[in-house]
Amino acid sequence: MKLQLTLDHGKRHEMIAMADAMADHVDILEIGFPQVITFGLDLVKEIREAHPDLCLCVDAKVFHGGTGVTRRCFEAGADIVTVLSGAPDPVISQMVAKAATYGGKIMCDMAASPRTTGKRTAEVDQLGVDYVMVPSGFIPEYDYDIDAHLKRGFFSPRVRPLDLAGVVKRNLMHAKLAVHTGIDESNIRDVIALKPEIIMVGRAILQPKDRVMAAERLKRYMPFEG
C-alpha cells in the first residue's frame, strides 16, 4: 500500500521545494493536471533530475493522442501516466502498449464515468491498465448513482463514502485500486479496509504546517509491507 501526494496548485518554485521536502516521506509524487497545464513537462523533468528514484505520477488526463502524449510523459520522467476512463478503448490500449516500452504504468481516472462505474471498470481492467483511480466520496463532486436515485423518484447530490470505490474494487481482476478525494486521519481506516494499492492525499498533507509529520502520521495507519 502506497501513499501518493498530489500537487495541484502552487508556483513552480513551490512545487520544486515541495518535491525536495517530501521525496523521502511519500511513495509517489503526483504532478497534478493544473500543474502540467501551467508549467508543462519541463516541471516533471526538473523533479526527475533532482530525484531519480522518486516515483512520479503525471496526471495528464489523456483523452486522445494516447501514443504521443504518453511517450512525452515517460520521456520527461513519469513512472505513471493517467488516462480518463471516457477515452476511447484504442487510446487506452495504445497507452498501455507504449507504457510497456518504457517500463511505466497507466492509471485510469474513473471520474469521467460516474453513471457506468462498474461496467467501465471491468472494461478498462481488460484493456490492461495498471491502476483504476476513483474518488472516495468523502467530498463528492457528482451524484455517482444518478440512475438509482431517479428510479426512486428523487435526486441526491451525495453518495455514502467509498460506495464508488467499492464498486470499482468488485470489478477489478488485474488492475489495482487507487483512492482519492478528502482522505485524512478521520477516514483513512475506512479507505484502508478496501485494500487499495494507492491512497492519494492532498490537503491532509499540504495544509498542516508540518507537512512531513502529516505524511508520516498517515503512513502509520497503512499496513507494513517489507
Side-chain angles (χ1 to χ4, degrees), residues 135-157:
S136 68
F138 290 114
I139 304 177
E141 297 176 356
Y142 326 97
D143 177 351
Y144 293 110
D145 199 12
I146 293 173
D147 293 336
H149 283 294
L150 291 177
K151 287 178 182 178
R152 292 197 295 267
F154 65 90
F155 180 86
S156 170

Side-chain angles (χ1 to χ4, degrees), residues 20-203:
D20 292 343
M22 302 304 299
D24 294 330
H25 304 283
V26 297
D27 302 299
I28 304 170
L29 186 73
E30 176 190 330
I31 295 86
F33 184 70
Q35 300 301 86
V36 175
I37 292 298
T38 303
F39 303 113
L41 293 175
D42 284 346
L43 175 62
V44 180
K45 292 178 181 178
E46 187 169 353
I47 294 174
R48 168 54 69 218
E49 289 173 0
H51 302 283
D53 297 324
L54 178 61
C55 184
L56 296 181
C57 175
V58 175
D59 189 17
K61 297 191 187 298
V62 177
F63 186 78
H64 63 85
T67 300
V69 174
T70 305
R71 175 179 58 79
R72 291 179 179 89
C73 289
F74 283 122
E75 289 180 351
D79 296 289
I80 304 169
V81 178
T82 68
V83 61
L84 291 175
S85 61
D89 286 1
V91 170
I92 298 176
S93 295
Q94 290 163 11
M95 292 182 67
V96 169
K98 183 57 66 174
T101 68
Y102 286 92
K105 298 182 183 297
I106 299 299
M107 179 181 287
C108 187
D109 185 345
M110 291 304 299
S113 301
R115 293 173 182 256
T116 58
T117 298
K119 178 177 182 291
R120 191 56 177 157
T121 295
E123 292 170 349
V124 300
D125 184 69
Q126 289 300 311
L127 291 172
V129 302
D130 299 281
Y131 306 105
V132 175
M133 172 176 62
V134 61
S136 68
F138 290 114
I139 304 177
E141 297 176 356
Y142 326 97
D143 177 351
Y144 293 110
D145 199 12
I146 293 173
D147 293 336
H149 283 294
L150 291 177
K151 287 178 182 178
R152 292 197 295 267
F154 65 90
F155 180 86
S156 170
R158 293 181 177 273
V159 294
R160 290 178 300 168
L162 294 182
D163 277 356
L164 194 63
V167 171
V168 169
K169 183 74 172 182
R170 291 192 295 273
N171 283 277
L172 290 177
M173 294 293 291
H174 309 289
K176 303 297 184 182
L177 176 66
V179 182
H180 73 93
T181 307
I183 299 171
D184 56 28
E185 285 195 75
S186 72
N187 53 42
I188 193 170
R189 290 186 181 89
D190 296 325
V191 179
I192 289 171
L194 284 173
K195 298 181 179 179
E197 179 71 11
I198 299 174
I199 296 177
M200 305 165 67
V201 177
R203 295 182 185 91

